[in-house]
């Protein structure tokens, strides 16, 4: 029979019902207990097997037993609720989980689909999400009618040359005509690969440089985490300063961006705030101008504002764009 190894508790803290939300959890294992991670499975409180992906991360020093695994699965949970699942060791290796999650890599372009969403990432002249589609029915209809992201985005670093920077009233002032835009769209040597391919999770890794002509401003590593049976894609965007450590190597930046050109112009934008949600017809904007102040505006009018760092609310940091029965929600962490 199955041997219970450890119970995992998942809690919902934001006050929102979660449906099939992807979860990845690191699980330590006792020395000598598990020799084959493929024999591990996940079960709910009733003993039903939960489709999951188990990835071995490390072994004990004897090399004979598994020390650490990552387990990925989808969890539904009520607002402010709690669910307990258990990691069990089976006598035999479970059969492969059924999944619609696919990933294809060809000519430095990667396409990922799971029946609900599909997105494309290209390596050369990287545009973030080059294209994306959403089929609410989950039937894999990725026609133009279900397109949510079009082409044209990019990872961008806005910079100023050092000799254009002056100090006035303790602030850096840069003439607008001296600003330069460094974009991943200008790097013909960018690369994209499928870094991880599993039944429940796919990881796509894009690497390259922000270029302006022959000049470089910061490298980038962008990872896209896609999951089976979920419209959620998690994006980890890393800007890398590789210019040196001497004072003369300091670069002045006015902004870092990941452009996502949606198909929702003229739709409705909803923002999380420290109080009631703010809603407005597009165009609308949220600007975090320092660590303890943000403002949400539309049509030149202030809709809402708040602090952020000093109050640490869990209700901020997201926006939702919608038009008709399609939408794109974006949440920011760190």
């Amino acid at each position: 029979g199955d041997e219970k190894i450890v119970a995992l508790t998942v809690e919902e803290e934001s006050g929102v019902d979660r449906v099939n939300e992807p979860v990845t959890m690191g699980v330590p294992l006792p020395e000598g207990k598990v020799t084959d991670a493929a024999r591990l499975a996940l079960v709910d409180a009733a003993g039903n097997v939960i489709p999951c992906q188990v990835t071995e991360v490390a072994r004990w020093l004897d090399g004979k037993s598994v020390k650490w695994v990552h387990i990925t699965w989808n969890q539904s949970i009520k607002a402010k609720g709690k669910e307990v699942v258990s990691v069990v060791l089976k006598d035999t290796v479970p059969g492969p989980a059924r999944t619609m999650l696919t990933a294809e890599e060809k000519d430095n372009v990667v396409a990922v689909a799971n029946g609900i969403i599909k997105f494309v990432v290209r390596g050369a002249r990287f545009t973030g999400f080059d294209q994306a589609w959403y089929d609410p029915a989950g039937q894999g209809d990725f026609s133009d009618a279900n397109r949510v992201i079009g082409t044209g985005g990019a990872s961008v670093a806005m910079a100023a040359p050092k000799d254009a920077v002056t100090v006035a009233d303790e602030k850096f002032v840069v003439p607008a005509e001296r600003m330069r835009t460094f974009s991943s769209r200008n790097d013909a040597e960018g690369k994209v690969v499928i870094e991880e391919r599993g039944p429940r999770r796919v990881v796509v890794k894009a690497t390259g440089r922000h270029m302006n002509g022959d000049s470089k401003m910061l490298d980038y590593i962008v990872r896209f985490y896609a999951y089976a049976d979920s419209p959620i894609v998690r994006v980890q965007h890393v800007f890398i300063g590789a210019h040196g450590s001497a004072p003369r190597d300091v670069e002045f930046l006015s902004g870092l961006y990941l452009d996502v050109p949606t198909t929702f112009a003229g739709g409705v934008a909803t923002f999380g705030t420290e109080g009631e949600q703010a809603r407005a017809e597009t165009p609308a904007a949220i600007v975090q101008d320092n660590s303890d102040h943000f403002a949400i505006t539309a049509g030149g009018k202030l809709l809402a504002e708040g602090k952020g760092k000093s109050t640490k609310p869990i209700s901020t940091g997201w926006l939702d764009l919608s038009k008709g029965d399609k939408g794109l929600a974006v949440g920011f962490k760190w």
Side-chain angles (χ1 to χ4, degrees), residues 26-216:
V27 180
L29 302 170
E31 186 172 6
K33 175 64 69 174
V34 179
T35 57
D36 183 3
R39 288 176 54 196
L40 293 173
L42 204 62
V43 299
D44 62 18
N48 301 310
V49 174
I50 301 171
C52 71
Q53 176 179 322
V54 180
T55 305
E56 180 180 315
V57 179
R59 287 194 164 240
W60 289 95
L61 291 178
D62 62 9
K64 297 178 181 178
S65 58
V66 182
K67 184 177 185 179
W68 200 274
V69 294
H70 289 169
I71 300 181
T72 299
W73 76 98
N74 290 21
Q75 183 69 55
S76 295
I77 184 169
K78 292 294 185 180
K80 297 293 184 178
K82 181 186 297 185
E83 295 288 340
V84 177
V85 299
S86 297
V87 180
V88 298
L89 181 64
K90 290 189 163 291
D91 293 332
T92 59
V93 175
R98 294 182 60 187
T99 179
M100 293 180 66
L101 182 61
T102 62
E104 299 179 357
E105 181 181 332
K106 183 180 180 182
D107 298 331
N108 203 20
V109 176
V110 171
V112 179
N114 66 5
I116 304 171
I117 60 168
K118 177 182 178 180
F119 66 91
V120 176
V121 179
R122 71 185 194 212
R125 306 194 182 282
F126 174 70
T127 57
F129 289 97
D130 190 57
Q131 300 176 73
W133 298 261
Y134 168 55
D135 177 9
Q139 300 299 309
D141 177 7
F142 303 127
S143 60
D144 282 347
N146 284 337
R147 182 189 298 273
V148 294
I149 298 176
T151 59
S155 175
V156 176
M158 296 286 288
K162 286 184 279 290
D163 61 0
V165 177
T166 58
V167 178
D169 299 327
E170 299 182 351
K171 294 183 179 180
F172 291 113
V173 178
V174 181
E177 66 272 11
R178 298 302 303 274
M179 292 297 299
R180 293 193 295 166
T181 300
F182 293 79
S183 173
S184 60
R185 291 180 63 88
N186 299 329
D187 184 10
E189 299 178 7
K191 304 295 182 186
V192 65
V193 296
I194 300 172
E195 187 175 50
E196 175 189 313
R197 187 200 305 264
R200 306 299 303 176
R201 186 175 83 167
V202 164
V203 183
V204 178
K205 178 183 177 182
T207 57
R209 307 164 297 169
H210 302 94
M211 303 294 293
N212 182 305
D214 295 330
S215 300
K216 181 186 84 166

Side-chain angles (χ1 to χ4, degrees), residues 280-292:
E281 293 185 356
T282 57
I286 179 169
V287 176
Q288 182 90 32
D289 51 19
N290 63 56
S291 63
D292 213 28

